[in-house]
Amino acid sequence: MSLHPLTPKERTAIPRQRMPEHPPADRARNFNEVNLGFDSELAQQEALRCLACAHPKCVEGCPVGVKVKDFIELILKGDYLAAAAKIREDDVMPAITGRVCPQENQCEGACVLSRKFGAVGIGYLERFVADYERRSGQVALPGRLPPTGKKVAIVGSGPAGLSAAGDLIQLGHQVTVFEALHEIGGVLVYGIPEFRLPKQIVREEVENLRKMGVQFEVNVVVGKTVTVDELLQQEGYHAVLIATGAGLPQLLGIPGENLCGVYSANEFLTRVNLMKAYRFPEYDQPVYDCRNRNVAVIGGGNTAMDAIRCALRLGARNASVIYRRTEAEMPARVEEIRHARAEGVQFLLLTNPVAFLGDERGWLRAVRLIKMELGTPDESGRRRPVPIPGSEYEMPLEVAIIAVGTRSNPLVPSTTPDLKTRKGGYIEADPETLKTSKRGVFAAGDIVTGAATVILAMGAGRKAARAMDEFLRTGQW
Amino acid sequence: MQRTGSKILEARFLAPEVKWFRVEAPRIARKQQPGQFVMVRVHDQGERIPLTIAGSDPNEGSITLIVQGVGKTTKLLNTLEAGDRILDVVGPLGKPSQMEKVGTCVVVAGGVGAAIAYPTARALKGAGNRVVVILGARNRALMILEGEMRSFADELIVTTDDGSYGQQGLVTDALRKMIGDDHKMDLVFAVGPIPMMQAVAELTRPHGIRTVVSLNPIMVDGTGMCGGCRVVVGGKSQFACVDGPEFDAHQVDFDALTKRNALYRDAELRALAELLKHRCKLAEAT
């Protein structure tokens, strides 16, 4: 028997509920969260739209298989805490994924309603129950199995490392997470800005893990401060998970890249988010003063949107996205592009920089751009952008942020001799068990796959945790 | 006062604004090699800055830092005493100095650059080289580590800009004289202000003397993650934090480094002015 009081036709007649948000003109000048979240009325309306399919495609569309249909049913029952617990069975950080997952390519993209009626707002609902749970102060922390006496080291405290830590601690192992920076969270704290993911949420998730028994050691650069071999041989760890991400900036290799005012997105975002440069001089770390300046980001992913929207909030006069393909090929979440545009970000599509031009002091003053057109598809299936000869022009620019992807971090592989890597320095790991070439060492997340999403890294972390548990219990490699 | 972080075991001024610290850091002490650095953050709202490790005692689990108070963070650091804690100390970062027996090494250290040059100079001696140290400062009061350098150096030349101690002149004057005298030198290692390192590079270049400098660009994370510290070496971008901080002086674009290091001058001056205004209050907060 269906819980739904409505017929399918009545359900599809309900429009997709809109996420309440701060008006663009206000929010474009501060770092407060843009989306305000559903209240229970909106959540009920949206949940009513779910057709409760016999074979829910949304679950298949989720990289970690969150039981979407079940949690939506619990929302309809009004049992929001149970709904949150249901999500937590597969996704330990729903308040985070509800905000940053590219739902349109995952659960919502697979939703049967997506084509004709607009997908059920699964991300919004996930966020709603996660926030409800947080505010209730009744986060149901899972229990722990009896101690196994096994010690696990996790290298990196981003999404992959944190989700693995959550599982391994429940399975009864002793877990220590090592982080190179001074704050836990990896890309969740240095990369994703406050207005998209409030840091308080990350801190709460970390606090939950701490309460469950996970230990955190900040300021430890594995590969430098201590090596993987030392962790295994001298510090008594029985297994190590490498979850260091793909955090190295990719630059363009065009003239003028070292001018003052040209940033990698990693540096710009680290200064603004982790080091809180937007609150300079209350915080000590500065960032180049964007006020009344022309700022552009090169790239079309979430990082690019994050960076340019930060620049806007730092007072940029003109904030532009320079992207060599069209909007359809942009890897960013649809919502981020929409938000950026509403806030006043300009999009220079089918455009690519060929050189940064400086003044006599070595500061950026302009960028030389070239128009592009789309040619034949490349290996990613996207049509390759081709420069149009003779279409070059100059645009005044004082701050440029390069957000064209990241590379693997070599610190661990270069100090762990028997760890096999593949092209680009990414660690080779079995796709099912995430075992590396070195006994006792597993790897998960972007350091294996190359830059991907928070939820994929979390999924990989959980997969690794299962395989690590088996290794720790059986000793079999 | 920070309640967490690395404990300062000993602290004393070596010269005005130049302070010597022995800091508890067992993991770093075990791993540290000459030429490496740590990233340091002094308080919760603080910035991250790189500091070269002047030495370490693996048995005691401590490292030595020498800090010249120039900006807000270094001045705050220099208010700390034994028993205080430094909130964050991360390392050892960067590539160690290349330590090989090459023959005669001339170590040129200007000002607080002596702190960076010292561990490398000593290690060069340990590797079996003849080591000549040229140690310079603006005046006698600012001269640091003279005794330490003298303890192992085969020859020590001291210069001051004002002639208040040793030879009057710049370290480059002493180096020029050595080159003019046809003094044998197989490697020059220079650390100090950028103009000094650049001048050393120009002195040795025509003679084809291998010259290494330790660069000090602005850094944020110190692990290769941000690229803020990129320097142009041999026409290519290199990250000083992971590819350096030591580079072939004849390949370094010092002009580009000078320009990039001026990037936050306004902000640095503003932060410093605020610090001096609220000095007492801030010192209490840390």
Side-chain angles (χ1 to χ4, degrees), chain A residues 129-449:
Chain A
V129 292
D131 286 356
Y132 182 91
E133 185 194 40
R134 286 173 48 227
R135 287 189 196 119
S136 74
Q138 299 178 57
V139 176
L141 294 179
R144 280 183 80 176
L145 294 178
T148 59
K150 301 288 183 189
K151 275 176 77 177
V152 183
I154 296 177
V155 185
S157 71
L162 292 182
S163 64
D167 280 7
L168 287 162
I169 199 81
Q170 286 178 57
L171 292 164
H173 308 297
Q174 192 183 322
V175 181
T176 305
V177 179
F178 294 98
E179 168 55 47
L181 292 169
H182 56 263
E183 207 168 313
I184 299 293
V187 72
L188 305 173
V189 296
Y190 76 73
I192 304 176
E194 180 74 18
F195 57 81
R196 196 150 77 84
L197 176 63
K199 299 310 145 213
Q200 180 58 26
I201 292 173
V202 183
R203 280 194 291 271
E204 284 171 21
E205 296 291 2
V206 171
E207 203 42 49
N208 287 340
L209 291 172
R210 229 189 273 274
K211 280 185 198 148
M212 287 160 67
V214 176
Q215 294 182 337
F216 292 95
E217 274 200 52
V218 293
N219 296 330
V220 176
V221 184
V222 173
K224 285 285 184 185
T225 315
V226 63
T227 63
V228 169
D229 283 321
E230 286 164 343
L231 289 173
L232 288 167
Q233 289 156 22
Q234 292 166 23
E235 302 210 10
Y237 288 95
H238 300 97
V240 176
L241 175 65
I242 301 166
T244 48
L248 264 62
Q250 186 91 51
L251 297 172
L252 293 162
I254 62 173
E257 213 153 44
N258 293 312
L259 290 165
C260 291
V262 181
Y263 283 99
S264 76
N266 267 9
E267 182 186 0
F268 188 79
L269 289 172
T270 300
R271 283 180 178 275
V272 175
N273 299 327
L274 177 72
M275 305 308 297
K276 307 265 187 293
Y278 66 92
R279 288 164 69 179
F280 181 87
E282 182 197 346
Y283 281 72
D284 293 342
Q285 196 104 33
V287 69
Y288 186 26
D289 192 348
C290 292
R291 279 175 298 178
N292 291 320
R293 293 204 158 101
N294 299 299
V295 184
V297 68
I298 322 296
N302 287 323
T303 306
M305 299 306 133
D306 285 346
I308 199 63
R309 293 171 70 203
C310 281
L312 202 64
R313 283 158 173 77
L314 290 166
R317 181 175 53 209
N318 289 305
S320 318
V321 169
I322 298 170
Y323 183 57
R324 59 194 184 141
R325 293 179 160 106
T326 72
E327 188 171 327
E329 287 87 17
M330 276 196 183
R333 294 174 81 225
V334 170
E335 186 178 54
E336 308 313 325
I337 300 171
R338 183 168 58 76
H339 279 167
R341 185 167 275 135
E343 288 163 12
V345 171
Q346 306 290 312
F347 286 77
L348 304 176
L349 303 171
L350 290 169
T351 305
N352 213 23
V354 290
F356 295 111
L357 310 171
D359 63 15
E360 64 292 339
R361 294 181 311 142
W363 294 60
L364 179 67
R365 64 167 180 83
V367 59
R368 191 190 307 281
L369 298 167
I370 190 163
K371 291 282 193 188
M372 311 290 279
E373 59 189 352
L374 292 183
T376 50
D378 62 12
E379 63 269 27
S380 73
R382 295 183 299 180
R383 289 175 65 193
R384 191 190 302 273
V386 189
I388 303 173
S391 66
E392 288 188 24
Y393 67 105
E394 260 181 44
M395 182 177 90
L397 192 65
E398 289 87 43
V399 182
I401 305 161
I402 301 168
V404 295
T406 51
R407 297 174 293 142
S408 65
N409 190 328
L411 277 174
V412 173
S414 67
T415 52
T416 315
D418 35 3
L419 197 63
K420 260 196 204 150
T421 55
R422 54 185 177 80
K423 200 170 160 253
Y426 297 100
I427 295 174
E428 262 188 29
D430 182 282
E432 284 315 307
T433 63
L434 298 169
K435 283 179 182 168
T436 68
S437 57
K438 185 176 172 69
R439 188 185 160 87
V441 180
F442 299 74
D446 285 4
I447 190 61
V448 175
T449 57

Side-chain angles (χ1 to χ4, degrees), chain B residues 80-100:
Chain B
L80 302 181
E81 298 295 346
D84 292 344
R85 287 174 185 272
I86 304 175
L87 182 59
D88 298 298
V89 179
V90 200
L93 301 168
K95 285 188 179 161
S97 307
Q98 279 196 330
M99 285 305 139
E100 53 200 351

